[in-house]
Amino acid sequence: MSDKKIPYKIYLAESEMPETWYNLRADMVHKPAPLLHPVTHQAMTAQELSAVFCDELVRQELDNDTREYPIPQEIRDFYKMYRPSPLVRAYCLEKKLQTPAKIYYKFEGNNTSGSHKLNSAIAQAYYAKQQGLVGVTTETGAGQWGTALSMACAYFGLDCRVFMVKVSYEQKPFRREVMRTYGASVTPSPSESTRVGRSILAAHPGTTGSLGCAISEAVETAAAHPGYRYVLGSVLNQVLLHQSVIGLEAKAAMDKYGIKPDVIIGCAGGGSNLGGLIAPFMGEKLRGEADYRFLAVEPASCPSLTRGVFAYDFADTGMVCPLAKMYTLGSDFIPAPNHAGGLRYHGMSPILSQLYDDGYLEAVTVPQTRVFEAAEQFARVEGILPAPESSHAICAAMDEALRCRETGEEKTILFGLTGTGYFDLVAYQKFHDGEMTDYVPSDEELAASFAKLPKVE
Amino acid sequence: MSDKKIPYKIYLAESEMPETWYNLRADMVHKPAPLLHPVTHQAMTAQELSAVFCDELVRQELDNDTREYPIPQEIRDFYKMYRPSPLVRAYCLEKKLQTPAKIYYKFEGNNTSGSHKLNSAIAQAYYAKQQGLVGVTTETGAGQWGTALSMACAYFGLDCRVFMVKVSYEQKPFRREVMRTYGASVTPSPSESTRVGRSILAAHPGTTGSLGCAISEAVETAAAHPGYRYVLGSVLNQVLLHQSVIGLEAKAAMDKYGIKPDVIIGCAGGGSNLGGLIAPFMGEKLRGEADYRFLAVEPASCPSLTRGVFAYDFADTGMVCPLAKMYTLGSDFIPAPNHAGGLRYHGMSPILSQLYDDGYLEAVTVPQTRVFEAAEQFARVEGILPAPESSHAICAAMDEALRCRETGEEKTILFGLTGTGYFDLVAYQKFHDGEMTDYVPSDEELAASFAKLPKVE
């Protein structure tokens, strides 16, 4: 099809939206390793996991075989309020870069949560409601996940208790206020409301909190209140299953116009967006039906794939969650403060970790100031102010397009624009004022963290 | 067509987007009164206006006859980056309200400026560029217009100088930061950089500024710098012309599905959104081809249509701009601080004022806390966190739908959802904390303001 025929934005019709999620694990030769009990190191059973997670989500978490999961009608109806998300042809960026490459991005930011997180939040809230639960608990750092979950819970009339890392709670009052608008209760973590919170406050009275501590508080709260379960916005297999809707829509839109991407790029923190975006394309590659390059982009300050080790590790710093086999910097590793909070996680989705280890996925890191340079350039030509997380993918996509300018290759690039930066303007301000730093952990720092990994036979 | 067939969101194809703007004045029996020179009270000539505005925009401002203006290709290309905007069927809100009414809204918030303001900003920047100008100046209060203009100027490589009311500059650093991201210079007003700014600062050293003062500074700066012109985001006829794209798209989407609205509702500050939304529908009514009810929704704190007088008045408090005949509370009237900054204007578009005076348009006011109650209810069921401005229309649309529940009427309601509230969370916080007030000006206060209106023969 002639290039001229491709619109700026490809929207699927509602009738063309996916009716099933795609479970990438069904096509993986090496399945992700099972979750292990944090004390016994035995594979977690469904019954054990059901104490923490909803029953249906446990089933999805453990299911390495079922290829397709029907998306319940109620979730499909909710999706219709903000999906299909547009697949955008970045004509203006291409022109600005003077590249022969064709650049596409799947934009997930056009909803009030401001990111792709809503895709899994609504699914997790739905299954909690189906099970007759009263509410759910979770943690949030940067606030995207907490906002998405608040919206989903408001829709289904579920109680939503969010533990927000104290430093974010204080520095991001607007994120907190959005969650309140959707009826969620937001507690700064560590708090006096949990045993683990009180013990941390006693030991470190001035602490500003951490994601690990907030996770522990949320898990404890769910366990202590009948009718509550804990939910998580990334890393888990179930989350990647729900997020496959991103890739399925992107692929359907591209197929409709006969477009085949050469390289697919996504930012990678816990892996929820990247795993969802690449899913159906990776499926074709695994089945030998097509070939694509896949590129994970990490912050140089938190490089789990590129500089981590592939080992069993705790998902949280509180060490109450199961052990997962993943690329990790060690659960004890505290990433330097950076402005892509959603990417500040020590580990990586077990699914993506396995694919990376098996050579199906490449990874690069980019330093923070380069990310913001790319973000600003993108905003000025494409109009959208991107989230710092998403801007890692923008940066790598622009690098790829500039290489095409050198070589003359007309590559087709697809990247995931996971969200908007409307709540990240403190970061933009630091960038404009020249106060942004590019921290990279030393080898010694990482080695010390690796030494503390749990010993699993 | 069966109701079931109507999707949650109707997106026009790019090929169905309007190719012309519609000039409502061509169909008005009583044209809007001419702008008058602020000193001589003679009708402003094109030449006089060209000292302040771009030549093409002057032509559009004065043209009461040409029905259709072709939209230049460059503007249509820019529109494609964020338009067509969706026409949304509010299925979830209807269900929540248990109303037989069918509710639609035209959502203009899916762009980084967060509102419909970008529709005119890109047009005004385009004509400035076409004329070979170096840059433009403007004022901004709440910040939506300044953001939109910054984005438009970045796209065309124009310099953009924004005078931002000092209190907003200080209280809304994030809006300011978005403008900086797009390369605009943002100056708190009053400033030392203009004669009028210095004189106001000398007289009132502690002032936090006003929109009127910022306008005067922007106009003075444009006049003092060769290659600059002043641009304005509402009130003017040219702005309503550009904003007709909202109504044209909405009508095309409705026509496609055989939907005819019974009542069309929009919030009204200066009138840019309402005038744009209703334009093609009002045209049909003026030509006797169809009938619709039109409803302007004003804040009770700034009720220019409902409690103002139809008279010549200054567009600015500095009294440097031309006189416009409009419904006004008096240019000396200072609306109480409210949280729908975009609606805090003492006057109303001369086009809408004339239509209101001729009985084609109705108007109501709503108090602030009711607006936020409606906003929160809307957010929880429709997923979008609305701007306080837009929430005035939401509130009136919900009232209409609830009346239909009483009467059993299956009315079709269309309202304009002009933007998102992501930068208005201080207002939401006050609402949640019970600190919101409902100020309504007294008759005495308004009478005192009317007494100071300019005497025009």
Side-chain angles (χ1 to χ4, degrees), chain B residues 30-45:
Chain B
H30 300 134
K31 310 291 184 189
L35 297 172
L36 300 187
H37 190 283
V39 178
T40 68
H41 292 190
Q42 299 297 304
M44 291 286 284
T45 63

Side-chain angles (χ1 to χ4, degrees), chain A residues 6-9 11 14 77-84 92 110-113 151 154-155 171 173-178 180-183 375-376 379-385 420 422-423 425-426 428-430 432-433, chain B residues 6-9 11 14 77-84 92 110-113 151 154-155 171 173-178 180-183 375-376 379-385 420 422-423 425-426 428-430 432-433:
Chain A
I6 295 172
Y8 279 65
K9 292 188 264 54
Y11 278 107
E14 283 176 13
D77 286 346
F78 186 90
Y79 278 171
K80 287 178 194 163
M81 290 207 294
Y82 72 101
R83 308 197 68 82
C92 296
N110 269 351
N111 68 75
T112 287
S113 84
M151 292 172 67
Y155 186 76
Q171 289 182 356
F174 292 165
R175 274 280 184 204
R176 186 180 75 206
E177 213 51 44
V178 177
R180 282 179 79 192
T181 302
Y182 287 93
E376 185 165 283
R380 289 185 184 187
V381 295
E382 287 288 319
I384 298 167
L385 186 82
T420 51
Y422 307 147
F423 292 91
L425 285 153
V426 168
Y428 276 91
Q429 184 166 1
K430 286 205 172 150
H432 294 141
D433 293 343
Chain B
I6 295 171
Y8 279 66
K9 295 188 262 53
Y11 279 107
E14 281 175 14
D77 285 345
F78 186 90
Y79 278 171
K80 286 178 195 164
M81 289 207 295
Y82 71 100
R83 309 196 68 81
C92 295
N110 270 350
N111 69 75
T112 287
S113 82
M151 291 172 67
Y155 187 76
Q171 289 181 355
F174 292 164
R175 273 281 185 206
R176 186 180 78 207
E177 212 53 45
V178 177
R180 282 178 81 192
T181 302
Y182 287 93
E376 185 165 283
R380 290 186 185 188
V381 293
E382 288 288 319
I384 298 167
L385 186 82
T420 50
Y422 307 147
F423 292 92
L425 285 155
V426 167
Y428 276 92
Q429 184 166 1
K430 286 203 172 151
H432 293 142
D433 293 344

